[in-house]
Amino acid sequence: MAALLELRRISKAFGGLQVISELDLHVGEGEIVSVIGPNGAGKTTLFNLITGIFRPDSGDIVLDGDSIVGLYPHTIVNRGVARTFQTLRLFLNMTVKENVMAAQYGRTHASVFESILRLPRARREEREIQRVAEEKLSFFGDRLMGYRWNQPAFSLSYANRRRLEIARAMATEPRLLLLDEPAAGMNPAETHEITELIGELRTEGGYTILVIEHDMHVVEGISDRVVALDHGVKIAEGTFEEVATNERVVEAYLGLRGAESEDAA
C-alpha cells in the first residue's frame, strides 16, 4: 500500500520536555490508522506537527511524496489534510450550513469588489459553495439535513456538533482526515454510530484517516493498524489485538503493577 503520509524520525520538545522522540509513522492510501496512548503521550502534538501548527525540531513529514515541514497550516490544508479537534471548535452562532460553507471561502477567487456588487463570478462561487456544503452535510443523513441547515450550531446536540465539525473538515476536500478523539464525551449509542461513521468515511467518502481515540471499542472497530505512544515514543504497532496485548502498552496504561497482574492472570 502506497504511503500517503510518512513521518520520518520526527522529534519535538518544548523547553526541556521531550514530547515526540524520533517517531516513525506511515499511513497508507485508504487506510485507517489509530493512535493510542495515555494522557501526555504526545498524540495531539503529533496532529499539530502534521498540520503545521508546530514545526518539528528534527525529522521530516512527507505527504504524497513531498515534504510539508515549514509550510503554513492553510497551505497544508490546500495540499489535502484536514482535522478535527479534541475540544470542539465550531462557529456556534453561525448556522449549520454556514459552518460548512466557511471551509470553502479560502478557495474562492472573486475580489472584494465583485462580492460587494454581486457580480457573476461571485454569484457562481457562492452557488458552488452552497452546493458543496449541502453535499457534505447530506453524508450524515437526517442528522444534519433539512431544517437543521438553518439552525445555529449551538442548538445541536453534542454528537451532532461532532458530526458538523467532521462535515466542515470534509468541505476542504481533503485526502487525509485527522480525527482527534471523535467519540469523546459520547454515550454508548452515539459511540457506536461514530464508529460506523468513520468506516463510512473511508468506504463511501474515500478518505484516508488518522485518528486519535481513547475508546478501545472504537479503535477495535475501525483500525487497520494501531500505533501506541508513551511520552512521545512509539512503543507498539500492529493490529488491535497485537497492540492491546502488548506488555509495554498495558504498562503504559495501567502501570507496572497492572502489567504484572495481567501476566499473573
Side-chain angles (χ1 to χ4, degrees):
M1 184 179 296
L4 178 60
L5 175 73
E6 289 184 87
L7 277 67
R8 301 172 179 171
R9 301 185 69 81
I10 288 294
S11 294
K12 180 65 181 177
F14 297 101
L17 179 63
Q18 191 72 39
V19 183
I20 299 288
S21 181
E22 296 191 344
L23 176 64
D24 288 319
L25 185 150
H26 72 279
V27 183
E29 186 91 45
E31 212 177 8
I32 300 178
V33 177
S34 293
V35 178
I36 67 170
N39 291 332
K43 302 184 298 297
T44 296
T45 298
L46 170 64
F47 274 20
N48 289 337
L49 289 167
I50 295 170
T51 54
I53 296 174
F54 300 147
R55 183 168 183 161
D57 298 329
S58 61
D60 200 7
I61 302 173
V62 177
L63 179 70
D64 200 19
D66 296 318
S67 176
I68 57 174
V69 170
L71 298 182
Y72 290 112
H74 69 270
T75 304
I76 293 173
V77 171
N78 290 335
R79 293 282 185 95
V81 179
R83 72 173 293 183
T84 64
F85 294 87
Q86 183 177 352
T87 302
L88 285 167
R89 299 186 185 182
L90 295 173
F91 305 113
L92 293 176
N93 290 318
M94 291 168 59
T95 68
V96 168
K97 188 174 177 180
E98 287 170 344
N99 264 273
V100 183
M101 291 171 63
Q104 281 277 311
Y105 282 109
R107 296 172 175 267
T108 59
H109 301 285
S111 66
V112 174
F113 178 77
E114 288 174 302
S115 298
I116 291 172
L117 296 182
R118 305 293 296 158
L119 295 181
R121 180 163 69 166
R123 294 201 304 272
R124 285 196 304 271
E125 289 184 341
E126 186 73 15
R127 287 194 298 270
E128 177 62 13
I129 286 170
Q130 294 204 34
R131 184 197 67 78
V132 170
E134 292 171 4
E135 174 189 292
K136 302 309 179 187
L137 288 167
S138 69
F139 187 89
F140 299 85
D142 294 339
R143 298 293 190 180
L144 294 178
M145 285 291 287
Y147 71 94
R148 294 191 190 276
W149 287 354
N150 297 317
Q151 285 185 323
F154 70 74
S155 69
L156 295 178
S157 68
Y158 178 79
N160 280 339
R161 291 185 190 187
R162 283 283 180 191
R163 293 182 178 95
L164 178 56
E165 191 177 38
I166 295 172
R168 187 179 61 186
M170 292 165 63
T172 66
E173 306 293 357
R175 296 177 62 190
L176 175 66
L177 271 176
L178 309 181
L179 306 180
D180 195 344
E181 297 194 31
M186 293 188 179
N187 63 40
E190 292 167 339
T191 298
H192 178 71
E193 289 185 10
I194 204 72
T195 303
E196 291 185 336
L197 172 63
I198 294 170
E200 291 167 0
L201 285 169
R202 191 251 299 270
T203 57
E204 298 178 24
Y207 300 105
T208 300
I209 301 171
L210 181 63
V211 58
I212 294 170
E213 187 51 68
H214 280 296
D215 191 313
M216 291 300 111
H217 294 294
V218 177
V219 174
E220 183 179 15
I222 64 172
S223 305
D224 295 315
R225 279 187 300 114
V226 179
V227 175
L229 301 182
D230 187 27
H231 295 92
V233 176
K234 181 167 65 175
I235 58 174
E237 180 176 2
T239 66
F240 174 81
E241 291 77 12
E242 291 169 344
V243 173
T245 57
N246 183 283
E247 290 183 6
R248 295 184 68 187
V249 175
V250 175
E251 181 180 340
Y253 274 98
L254 302 178
L256 183 58
R257 290 184 179 177
E260 290 171 347
S261 298
E262 288 284 337
D263 291 339

